Amino acid sequence: MMTFPVLFVFCLIFSSSYAAVQDFCVANYTAPQSPAGYFCKNPANVTVDDFVYTGLEVAGNASKINKVRLNTAFVSQFPGLNGLGLSLARADLAVGGSIPLHTHHGATEIILVAEGTVVLGFIDSNNKVYLKTLNKGDILVIPPGLLHFQVNGGNSPALEFAFFSSADPGVQILENSLFLSNLPTELIAQTTFLDTAQIKKLKGFLGGTN
Amino acid sequence: MMTFPVLFVFCLIFSSSYAAVQDFCVANYTAPQSPAGYFCKNPANVTVDDFVYTGLEVAGNASKINKVRLNTAFVSQFPGLNGLGLSLARADLAVGGSIPLHTHHGATEIILVAEGTVVLGFIDSNNKVYLKTLNKGDILVIPPGLLHFQVNGGNSPALEFAFFSSADPGVQILENSLFLSNLPTELIAQTTFLDTAQIKKLKGFLGGTN
Amino acid sequence: MMTFPVLFVFCLIFSSSYAAVQDFCVANYTAPQSPAGYFCKNPANVTVDDFVYTGLEVAGNASKINKVRLNTAFVSQFPGLNGLGLSLARADLAVGGSIPLHTHHGATEIILVAEGTVVLGFIDSNNKVYLKTLNKGDILVIPPGLLHFQVNGGNSPALEFAFFSSADPGVQILENSLFLSNLPTELIAQTTFLDTAQIKKLKGFLGGTN
Amino acid sequence: MMTFPVLFVFCLIFSSSYAAVQDFCVANYTAPQSPAGYFCKNPANVTVDDFVYTGLEVAGNASKINKVRLNTAFVSQFPGLNGLGLSLARADLAVGGSIPLHTHHGATEIILVAEGTVVLGFIDSNNKVYLKTLNKGDILVIPPGLLHFQVNGGNSPALEFAFFSSADPGVQILENSLFLSNLPTELIAQTTFLDTAQIKKLKGFLGGTN
Amino acid sequence: MMTFPVLFVFCLIFSSSYAAVQDFCVANYTAPQSPAGYFCKNPANVTVDDFVYTGLEVAGNASKINKVRLNTAFVSQFPGLNGLGLSLARADLAVGGSIPLHTHHGATEIILVAEGTVVLGFIDSNNKVYLKTLNKGDILVIPPGLLHFQVNGGNSPALEFAFFSSADPGVQILENSLFLSNLPTELIAQTTFLDTAQIKKLKGFLGGTN
Amino acid sequence: MMTFPVLFVFCLIFSSSYAAVQDFCVANYTAPQSPAGYFCKNPANVTVDDFVYTGLEVAGNASKINKVRLNTAFVSQFPGLNGLGLSLARADLAVGGSIPLHTHHGATEIILVAEGTVVLGFIDSNNKVYLKTLNKGDILVIPPGLLHFQVNGGNSPALEFAFFSSADPGVQILENSLFLSNLPTELIAQTTFLDTAQIKKLKGFLGGTN
């Protein structure tokens, strides 16, 4: 009978003993989220491995376009971050590589350069540009929500780590929002002042429709 | 002797009686801000007019480019908002007018259409587009930090009010960040994939340098 | 067999794919709340209509007593507000109408007058009264938690919009708390100093018992 | 010359050495507040006595009307509370005494009965009454912002301590807001439905004008 | 058939009517927690008893070692505290009794001495010691997260109440963390500089392994 | 005349133009802090260098005792972090080196191992030990406020970066709190159960008095 597997999952979720003291709330990915994050895994079943993440040991998937490999350790990958307001990521920038203009919805970001040279820029609400070439060991903080980008500023690969003041900071990349989406060309033109030909060229390149 | 006016201001700022109970913290614009907002005006000198703002009775200054007039009631104009985490604005959109693609650094926004028809769009981190035509009395909430825009969707002027979950939400308009700033053309090209000619055309139009 | 419908609902709630990135948390009304709000609806099923509310296009239900019609767009009506800390309402005040003395539990409120004239008053912890006549386009901010009221101050209907720094600000109307409830008359008398006759008269009028 | 005393105060406020690590922010009462509380006293001058308050050893001033003596340890009296989001108070209720209906602007309150018997009531936004007789050692939590009151429910004096989730919770006592203030009688009548005679009687009793 | 009881519980949890307005969120202990606390009990089933706790009327269980009896009213015992950011506890210190060195993870604590004399000490990040002898009615605030302890400083039993800025402040007692746990002796030695013999003696005393 | 330099400083602090929009609040170290952090530097004088910190390029000062070199980038060194709730540090652990048992007052910490092998341990409120050997690229999150330590677990130097959810997380090292302070030996004995001889030995070693 079909109901057994469902009930089995159900019982795991609603087992009756919850530890009296909550020092942490490791994410339980089998249930929906609340505005404050995922449900807590039963503390009795939590082990140190819930607080460890090894996925940042290596670079992320390659992007042919930008010569950058991004790899994230957000709460959706790393359950120990749930409810703790922190996350991180790594970026491997090949020579000539860049992370295009983007924002994180409201999270502050700290960049730490681990290898090579990175040119980092951000722009504030008064259209003032903050531009800096960072070397190994340098750190830079980007105030929350501002548009920013990184480019490899040297002749060798660069590696940087980014730390965020949110367990799920989001990454909104401008070029993808505009040219990989189905936002109609005429609305893009009207709200960015870009030429229609430019928009269509980039949509063709990135895969956007309409 | 030159010191008297300064000392006079000084005495006003540091007068010795602060009310024991603080129901509010009206902004004192004569001193610097803290991360939580402006200093509090001495409660003894606060009147109801500190909590009232009449500047939104009229449209803001005209923008020849976008056919939109923006007028804000942020904490820097409206002292009663200090520390209270709310602000508002009005936008008057002429026929064919638009508010270009922009973000607010981390603030949620609610749009209320007061007159006419507004097409509102926002894009999430997964490049999914949310597009809606709003009529008089309709409201729409834009999740914090996401790129969005508005265009007049009708044949008559439109008026909308916007409410923010921050006393100072900032407005980062993409076209100004890129084309009204001194961000170098080659960095824009490398981090947006726009053609150099397009960038230079818009810089010429909006006034950006480099 | 009776278990099927329940399990069907259950499966909808606990479907297994949750988007990796959470830009928002639209309310799922079929499950209980957490202290931070409702569960999130599965992002894959979210559409722009979750962020739109049309219920404020019209006045709320009439109240014969106060000549006021209140209509709210709180998170329990408008799912897109969940977790975002904002909500709104409209009040239509007939000539001679009023919103009786009330509080919102801890939320700041901004009033925007859309039509007519409104006299707004609030009182602080030091028993200082802040009273203002507002005209079309005026805004006023009421610090969190303070007692306040509105009355139509003109000879024509008034319309105002209210914005709150909470998705669920609550509305505690003094007259209803005292005279529409089952709070014993002698306790009201002892803790308000009102005469017993006055209390009984208002209980009779509003429907309170005891 | 008159400027010396002022400058002396000034130098004390802006002395140049601030400890690198801030475990606390003891209130400096000689400068204005920010939205997050008072300035921090220079940590080098902080002693354990900044964290100690002895003023709650005794009952507060008597109130002839209510047979209650209130004494508070809010941040304006107890500098160590600054920025820490907690405060407390004691109430000594004589036989027949009461704390009239009141609210705190957004703070949660916990009541601990130390002596005697206290009847505590609060009312929620749905006009539901929560009423309880508390004995020595009992505790009760009042959700933030709701109207509540206490009365001595026994034949001996009662003592209770109250704890608040704010360093400055405010106390808005309904009878004082209405009848000890200069709120015009006709506005009170219109927004509470009380009879004019009742209002005038209580104004006469408590000292309100208009 | 085995599924009925489970489904019965299930239906109670997911009953379909949730009150529109949420003034509070009483803990539902039959479901897991979110980062913001327990699920809310259906408001329709909430009574005043959810907000009352009588368990602090008496001392907690005796500890032979420290001559102290601790009794807590945290959210896991007192459901009304859920989501409200406050909790409390009582400590009964026999003559010669003490509460060993401990921390609460990030919560501020206020101590109120109800009987006897208590010597309270805390230490800041700069290794500065704050030491005070408190008598009946005295209060002391301990900044969040700092190491602290209490000892009975008189010749009679002492009683104190503690108030916390968290519904679940945790109590991490140093001696238990080190000597009642399975933390290997050599790691303790390396990270505390204690002698191995001392560590083994205390492990033998308190029950730790490894 | 002596007053001029003071007034000059004063004028710099209270210069009259503050930018209308605040995307950030760079620390002004010449004035006291508020509970939310330092005053903001005038935005007109902010440059990109306020957001950059190069002090972590190198190891911190050597500690002969622990074979560890700690270097911090907290808000008191790095002004751009002010108000942003993030900070970081690096630790260079020689072979056999360790960071002794310590806490941060309420901040979450993420450890990223950049070189070598680190054994990290933390203990929760239930005296459960979480122990892990981390290699290059591994990350581990330590829930807020819990006691933890690190030791070099390999045969070569280790380098790690730590990230905190506070601009000023504090570091309370247990051995220093107890044995480098003036906490009286008898109180240490009474509240830790350590032998007096052990306490005196470590005080002699670390420099504590009393």
Side-chain angles (χ1 to χ4, degrees), chain C residues 81-105:
Chain C
L81 296 181
N82 194 40
L84 297 182
L86 284 178
S87 61
L88 64 168
R90 71 178 279 171
D92 293 72
L93 292 141
V95 175
S98 66
I99 308 179
L101 208 68
H102 64 287
T103 58
H104 309 282
H105 45 64

Side-chain angles (χ1 to χ4, degrees), chain A residues 95-118:
Chain A
V95 176
S98 65
I99 308 179
L101 208 69
H102 63 287
T103 57
H104 308 283
H105 44 63
T108 300
E109 177 176 2
I110 290 181
I111 298 291
L112 167 68
V113 176
E115 290 171 22
T117 299
V118 173

